Amino acid sequence: MAKPTKETIPNLLVRNVPREIIMGIEEALVVGAQRAYVAARGMDDGHLPSVVGQLRHFHMNESFQRALAVNDASPSPIRGNAIVTGRTGVFTLARFNIKEGLWVNGRRSQTRRQMSVANMAIEPLVQPELFADYEPPSEAVAFFVACFAGSLHIQPESPMSIQIAVPDRNMQGWLFREPIDAFARRYDQKPVSQQDDLAMPKLKKNIGKQDKDGTTQ
C-alpha cells in the first residue's frame, strides 16, 4: 500500500474548484476593472481615485457574479454593497480589492471575517502539530484578491495581480496565497486523490523493466 499523502490546501482547492472557474473569474475581474476605469474618465482629478475605487467594486462585483453563474458556482444575487459569493465543492468563493501590499485591509469587512471562521477546519493543514486531528472539511472559504497599484499613474485599468487566498479563521493571516497564473499550473500536475491510498493495483510481470525504461510523472 502506498504511503499516505499529506493533504494540503492547494490540493484541496484543486479538487474542489475546477480550473474553468479559476480562469473565468480571472478574466471577469480584469474586464470589470477595465470597465470601471473607462466609466470614470472625465471626472475631476480630485475625485478620480475615489470614483475609480467605487466603480471597481460595482463593475467587478457584476463580472464576478456572472463568471460564477456561467460556471454553475451558485452565485448569490447582487444587492447593494453586499459581498457576492459562490459555492463549488466545499469552498465558498468571494472577492475583494486591495492596494498592492496592503493585505491587512482585507479584514476590514465584518462579513469577510465571519466567513473566514469556517477555515478553522483546515488550519491543521499548515500546522503539523495539529495534523493528526485533521478531518476533511465540509466548509471552507477562499477569496480572489485583485491587487491594484497605489497610484492611478501605474496601470490604473487593471490589477497588478489577482491571487487566490485562503485566510485563517480570524483573517489575521493567510493559510495559502498564490497568483492565479501560478495556481492554474497546479491542474497540470498529477491530481491528488484522497482515495489513492486505498487502491491496490495489480502489478504486471515485467514491471521492473518498465520502471527502468519508462518515465515517471
Side-chain angles (χ1 to χ4, degrees):
M1 183 179 295
K3 182 180 179 180
T5 301
K6 179 180 176 181
E7 177 69 287
T8 66
I9 290 176
N11 288 341
L12 191 65
L13 283 164
V14 167
R15 287 201 306 275
N16 284 272
V17 187
R19 184 205 296 259
E20 292 75 17
I21 292 180
I22 297 288
M23 305 314 294
I25 289 174
E26 179 183 35
E27 181 180 4
L29 295 182
V30 170
V31 169
Q34 291 172 341
R35 288 176 176 167
Y37 183 66
V38 170
R41 286 178 180 173
M43 297 299 296
D44 187 274
D45 288 346
H47 286 152
L48 195 57
S50 296
V51 172
V52 170
Q54 291 183 17
L55 289 177
R56 281 172 179 165
H57 170 75
F58 294 121
H59 281 281
M60 294 173 75
N61 253 9
E62 290 187 4
S63 59
F64 179 64
Q65 204 258 7
R66 283 194 290 268
L68 293 171
V70 166
N71 289 283
D72 298 320
S74 305
S76 62
I78 293 175
R79 289 198 181 101
N81 287 323
I83 291 176
V84 174
T85 64
R87 177 74 182 226
T88 176
V90 302
F91 277 95
T92 295
L93 307 177
R95 57 155 293 276
F96 62 89
N97 299 338
I98 61 167
K99 291 182 180 179
E100 189 77 13
L102 296 179
W103 282 79
V104 68
N105 289 351
R107 69 183 308 271
R108 288 181 176 177
S109 165
Q110 182 177 358
T111 301
R112 287 197 291 264
R113 294 199 305 271
Q114 290 174 342
M115 291 171 61
S116 298
V117 172
N119 285 351
M120 175 174 58
I122 59 176
E123 286 181 354
L125 298 182
V126 295
Q127 300 180 47
E129 69 276 10
L130 300 178
F131 186 75
D133 299 325
Y134 172 75
E135 294 183 5
S138 59
E139 300 277 346
V141 173
F143 293 99
F144 291 85
V145 184
C147 306
F148 289 90
S151 169
L152 291 182
H153 298 293
I154 303 173
Q155 197 173 311
E157 75 285 353
S158 62
M160 303 292 288
S161 69
I162 299 175
Q163 302 194 34
I164 185 167
V166 179
D168 64 22
R169 74 180 83 180
N170 299 313
M171 210 174 182
Q172 293 180 336
W174 302 94
L175 306 177
F176 175 76
R177 207 174 83 189
E178 191 167 75
I180 282 184
D181 54 353
F183 183 79
R185 291 194 288 271
R186 294 179 180 274
Y187 292 90
D188 298 323
Q189 300 171 7
K190 183 178 179 180
V192 176
S193 171
Q194 290 180 311
Q195 297 180 351
D196 284 350
D197 298 331
L198 303 178
M200 299 182 66
K202 294 182 180 180
L203 301 180
K204 297 181 180 179
K205 291 183 178 180
N206 294 326
I207 189 67
K209 184 175 185 301
Q210 292 175 358
D211 284 346
K212 294 178 182 178
D213 295 343
T215 57
T216 58
Q217 293 184 352

